[in-house]
Amino acid sequence: MRIKAALLDQSGGHALPYDETQPLRIADLELDPPRPGELLVRIDAASLCHSDLSVVNGDRVRPMPMALGHEATGIVEALGSPEDAEFAVGDRVILAFLPACGECSRCKGGEPYMCGAGAAANGEGRLLNGGCRLHDGAHDVHHHLGISAFASHAVVDRRSAVKVDHDLPPEIAALFGCAVLTGAGAVFNSAAVRAGETVIIYGLGGVGLSALLAARAIGTSTLVAIDPSAEKRDIAAGLGAIALSPLEAPKALPALFPDGGADVVLETVGRAAVLTTAYQAARRGGRVCTVGLPNPAERFDIPAISLVAEGKTLIGSYMGSAIPARDIPRYIALWKEGRMPVEKLLTSVNKLTDINILMDALEQGQAIRQVMIP
Ligand SMILES: [Zn+2]
Ligand SMILES: [Zn+2]
């Protein structure tokens, strides 16, 4: 079938603003029918994440051309396996950006977020069962993280989809697929934050604010959120955090944390220098959890002795150490109870054709989550 999708022909080398250089173009592509174990999904909301920007600017190297987008929700329109016991035509699904094979040692060990087959498929820009279902004339178009959701339709592996309640507003549902899964998962799963602990969060994008929502839901004591953007700090303050700029933080933190630092520090910016600062902000014996994706060339520099002498734990959190089919319904339940107001992440609802302008806003730190309706 013919679909519309936001296509990236070249990663890196596009000057700013993207509104002028237009790195993404809305293309008419050919989408194959779903193969066994796959779903055809009509996308009804997809949001722009910093990881999309990282493919556009070349920080994340991916095969080109690629149809971008990995944080989305939609309705199942066709099944590759008609006898599918879990999914039916008409189901609402939220898409998760790492399909887990279910067969490897990590999947069987309860760590599907470390699935090697899923990571390899994502790195090669293909679906988990192999190959591309998207074509531009005679050329294959690569899938972004098994999804390619900035599009009218997507064919995904069923292991990329989580069935959820039909009544969720699409523009909210989309956010659970990456921002919430990653940010809340870092707090609930990776760092395993407990009620009453003190927490600092560096970076208030979609992932950082989701981490903040999770920390509030758990019931932390002192909760500090740090970001250069005054607008994002206002949102964090509205959610009950002590919001500081990076310039204010060095002076303010010692008085807020008489133990010499926080129990848990989360780094969601994706810069090694911020991770160094975050590491120093943890108390002796504290936990430092990093969620951001720095450019692969960046190196993280700490005194090696400090891990032992200060008893700190450094935790890398990929996809919030999530089991999507378990965690997404849990986070939705917290949202429905009003305990995790995910709607605070939603900056705007837009048309797919605005995507280059929206990337400029994200690049300039002016937006948290900008949802597009294809
Ligand atoms: Zn993302
Ligand atoms: Zn696996």
Side-chain angles (χ1 to χ4, degrees), residues 19-357:
D19 184 28
E20 284 174 15
T21 54
Q22 299 274 312
L24 287 165
R25 62 185 171 93
I26 307 302
D28 283 309
L29 302 179
E30 185 65 25
L31 181 65
D32 294 341
R35 294 184 189 175
E38 297 175 353
L39 310 171
L40 170 66
V41 179
R42 176 173 55 76
I43 304 295
D44 58 8
S47 42
L48 194 61
C49 166
H50 213 278
S51 302
D52 300 301
L53 198 57
S54 298
V55 178
V56 172
N57 69 22
D59 278 352
R60 299 285 283 169
V61 177
R62 299 285 177 189
M64 294 289 119
M66 177 170 272
L68 292 192
H70 63 279
E71 183 175 284
T73 183
I75 303 295
V76 175
E77 282 206 335
L79 304 168
S81 304
E83 71 285 2
D84 197 306
E86 190 179 348
F87 297 99
V89 170
D91 283 347
R92 172 164 297 286
V93 289
I94 289 174
L95 302 174
F97 62 86
L98 179 75
C101 76
E103 301 294 327
C104 71
S105 60
R106 292 299 87 226
C107 281
K108 287 187 168 162
E111 297 177 328
Y113 46 91
M114 289 287 109
C115 175
N122 280 358
E124 293 164 16
R126 56 177 173 78
L127 294 192
L128 191 53
N129 282 337
C132 299
R133 308 291 172 269
L134 283 164
H135 314 281
D136 185 12
H139 302 283
D140 279 351
V141 171
H142 295 91
H143 296 260
H144 188 204
L145 301 175
I147 297 177
S148 293
F150 297 149
S152 55
H153 295 78
V155 165
V156 302
D157 193 286
R158 65 195 296 291
R159 292 165 286 188
S160 295
V162 175
K163 181 177 166 176
V164 297
D165 295 345
H166 213 282
D167 60 353
L168 289 175
E171 67 277 15
I172 302 296
L175 310 180
F176 286 88
C178 175
V180 177
L181 195 66
T182 303
V187 168
F188 283 112
N189 299 329
S190 315
V193 172
R194 297 182 292 270
E197 287 195 306
T198 58
V199 175
I200 302 173
I201 298 168
Y202 283 86
L204 295 172
V207 170
L209 276 173
S210 295
L212 196 159
L213 294 178
R216 294 298 301 162
I218 288 169
T220 54
S221 55
T222 307
L223 176 58
V224 173
I226 300 171
D227 196 282
S229 157
E231 291 84 3
K232 292 176 183 174
R233 292 200 301 275
D234 283 348
I235 295 172
L239 290 164
I242 299 165
L244 301 172
S245 74
L247 288 174
E248 295 167 331
K251 270 192 183 161
L253 292 180
L256 291 166
F257 298 97
D259 282 356
D263 296 323
V264 180
V265 184
L266 289 119
E267 185 284 317
T268 73
V269 178
R271 299 298 302 271
V274 179
L275 179 54
T276 302
T277 304
Y279 183 84
Q280 290 159 350
R283 66 163 169 82
R284 290 168 64 85
R287 317 198 287 292
V288 183
C289 182
T290 176
V291 189
L293 288 167
N295 183 291
E298 291 192 22
R299 290 291 177 271
F300 170 49
D301 189 21
I302 55 162
I305 190 173
S306 68
L307 276 168
V308 175
E310 298 175 25
K312 293 190 184 183
T313 303
L314 182 59
I315 304 161
S317 175
Y318 188 69
M319 198 171 73
S321 308
I323 301 174
R326 176 196 68 185
D327 293 349
I328 287 176
R330 283 186 186 173
Y331 301 155
I332 289 171
L334 286 169
W335 174 72
K336 283 188 170 175
E337 290 168 15
R339 294 173 61 199
M340 233 168 67
V342 169
E343 68 279 5
K344 303 281 187 195
L345 308 183
L346 183 61
T347 305
S348 56
V349 178
N350 310 273
K351 299 190 299 264
L352 184 57
T353 45
D354 290 336
I355 190 163
N356 289 296
I357 300 170

